Amino acid sequence: MSALVLLRSLFTYQAWANDELLEKLASLDSHARGKERLIAIRLLNHNLVVSKIFAAHLTGARHGYSADNTEDTPALDALRTDVAAMDRWYLDYLETVALDHLSEPVPFVFTDGDKGSMSRQEMLTHVIIHGGYHRGEVGRLLSQISIAPPWDTFAVHLHQIEPSRRLQAVIEPLSA
């Protein structure tokens, strides 16, 4: 499997996992669980901002952010729309980026003013890992208030989109 094929698979998974988690958050009672809901939205908004910042780095555009979160907290519906659009942007980007561009280093400036340089492939990997980290934080928050987080692992996703994978498994008997 090439790096590009793997990245496409990971970003498809991320879009699915983001949607699963945002759907779960939409079911939270905003009055009874307002504090937890706010924390979850802030975490996912931070993740969205970082995804936008790295999208700008990938294309050489200005992102306009001076911090890694916005001052205002978006409404959950607006966040969900923006996250879905950003997930779509990355999937579209991966359909157009040339394979040889993935390893090219790209210089950029972090929001705190520090200089950085990463290859496009490293940036894309960062966006995936960063997203998983923050979805995990929100999942832990849900667990702490006795709400089961979505079962949104990469393995679950792969088997949902390709149920035939379950039929391909060869299980060898345990030896005595």
Side-chain angles (χ1 to χ4, degrees):
M1 174 182 293
S2 76
L4 191 54
V5 170
L6 178 59
L7 286 166
R8 286 178 183 148
S9 180
L10 289 171
F11 275 95
T12 300
Y13 156 70
Q14 178 159 279
W16 170 81
N18 284 338
D19 188 58
E20 291 284 308
L21 185 55
L22 287 160
E23 178 72 24
K24 179 63 84 164
L25 288 179
S27 72
L28 275 184
D29 181 337
S30 60
H31 297 293
R33 297 294 184 194
K35 177 184 172 188
E36 293 87 355
R37 195 171 192 258
L38 176 65
I39 292 167
I41 290 171
R42 294 293 301 162
L43 285 167
L44 296 176
N45 190 61
H46 157 74
N47 189 55
L48 173 64
V49 168
V50 170
S51 294
K52 288 180 175 184
I53 289 169
F54 275 87
H57 294 333
L58 286 164
T59 60
R62 290 189 164 274
H63 53 73
Y65 290 99
S66 58
D68 62 4
N69 208 338
T70 59
E71 199 171 309
D72 297 328
T73 302
L76 184 58
D77 288 343
L79 178 64
R80 194 169 186 184
T81 299
D82 288 348
V83 167
M86 194 79 260
D87 287 337
R88 180 79 256 150
W89 184 91
Y90 275 99
L91 288 165
D92 291 345
Y93 177 80
L94 288 167
E95 289 301 318
T96 61
V97 68
L99 186 58
D100 59 331
H101 287 153
L102 287 176
S103 60
E104 289 179 349
V106 178
F108 60 90
V109 178
F110 288 100
T111 57
D112 65 3
D114 280 350
K115 293 178 182 176
S117 178
M118 297 168 76
S119 69
R120 285 181 176 82
Q121 184 171 292
E122 289 168 335
M123 287 185 194
L124 292 162
T125 302
H126 171 74
V127 169
I128 290 294
I129 293 170
H130 184 258
Y133 178 84
H134 290 299
R135 282 191 308 277
E137 280 186 301
V138 174
R140 182 71 177 152
L141 180 95
L142 291 173
S143 293
Q144 289 173 341
I145 59 173
S146 301
I147 295 173
W151 197 21
D152 64 358
T153 67
F154 187 52
V156 168
H157 168 71
L158 290 174
H159 286 85
Q160 278 189 3
I161 64 169
E162 291 182 49
S164 63
R165 285 174 178 255
R166 295 200 185 276
L167 303 174
Q168 297 170 10
V170 176
I171 302 172
E172 297 182 21
L174 297 174
S175 58

